Amino acid sequence: LLACPATSSTFSRNPCSCPPSSQPLLQTPPRPTPSAGLRLRGGGKGSVSKWEKVTWKMVQEDEGIGSLEEPVSRSIMDKGKFYQVYQKMLDTLDGKGGYPDVFVDFFFSRDPVNTMHLVFAGEDERSDWMDWAIDEGIHDTIEEIKAGESNKEKKERE
């Protein structure tokens, strides 16, 4: 929008009839603020607004988070299904002990495009998660996944 300095009227294309010395000034529309009743994108009831020292319980209660990245296929997995698969691990992400790896945000961050989705913070975090899942017996090793059978199944077959 352009604003006429003499009349304070706004127009979009045609300049006003003011003399050249008072050419129209570029005017930006006012930006809405959160106090105007708007919520931040991805923030639902009980939303984790500050992504620091986040526990699994906080993620469960946050309606603004609906899915997480599955580490093997890198696909989107519903939060409830993710919990069914990784419950043994997620229940330990309770913040007790004070170490960084007892918080969800050690492994995950919000997807910058879809803020309702959590993605691994990096390849090291994905690898650490996979190693932990293998140790807990939730996943086979990557080699076993690629082969389509576990070492135990392979021995039974032979």
Side-chain angles (χ1 to χ4, degrees):
L1 292 175
L2 297 173
C4 172
T7 64
S8 298
S9 62
T10 58
F11 50 91
S12 58
R13 290 189 184 171
N14 298 327
C16 65
S17 58
C18 293
S21 62
S22 60
Q23 288 296 318
L25 305 172
L26 183 62
Q27 181 182 23
T28 58
R31 299 183 77 173
T33 61
S35 62
L38 299 174
R39 288 189 309 185
L40 295 174
R41 198 170 52 130
K45 182 179 177 186
S47 178
V48 178
S49 60
K50 187 176 179 184
W51 195 251
E52 186 177 305
K53 295 190 177 182
V54 177
T55 65
W56 177 249
K57 183 178 180 185
M58 293 165 71
V59 170
Q60 281 183 310
E61 293 172 355
D62 189 342
E63 294 176 6
I65 298 173
S67 59
L68 291 94
E69 179 181 10
E70 200 283 321
V72 178
S73 65
R74 299 177 185 218
S75 62
I76 294 174
M77 185 181 279
D78 175 74
K79 179 169 56 174
K81 178 67 176 169
F82 194 87
Y83 182 69
Q84 288 176 349
V85 173
Y86 297 102
Q87 179 178 358
K88 191 173 186 180
M89 296 165 62
L90 293 169
D91 286 342
T92 66
L93 298 179
D94 56 7
K96 294 179 181 170
Y99 295 105
D101 62 351
V102 295
F103 294 100
V104 173
D105 55 284
F106 178 81
F107 296 99
F108 296 94
S109 62
R110 283 192 187 259
D111 186 312
V113 176
N114 178 2
T115 58
M116 293 183 71
H117 179 64
L118 299 183
V119 295
F120 282 97
E123 288 304 313
D124 290 340
E125 290 80 1
R126 179 190 322 278
S127 178
D128 290 346
W129 185 269
M130 283 296 299
D131 290 344
W132 186 14
I134 292 166
D135 291 346
E136 294 292 341
I138 297 170
H139 280 295
D140 293 329
T141 65
I142 296 296
E143 292 78 22
E144 291 170 323
I145 292 170
K146 287 179 181 178
E149 64 182 351
S150 68
N151 288 334
K152 182 180 176 185
E153 293 169 333
K154 186 176 179 180
K155 287 178 185 176
E156 289 174 0
R157 182 176 49 84
E158 292 174 348

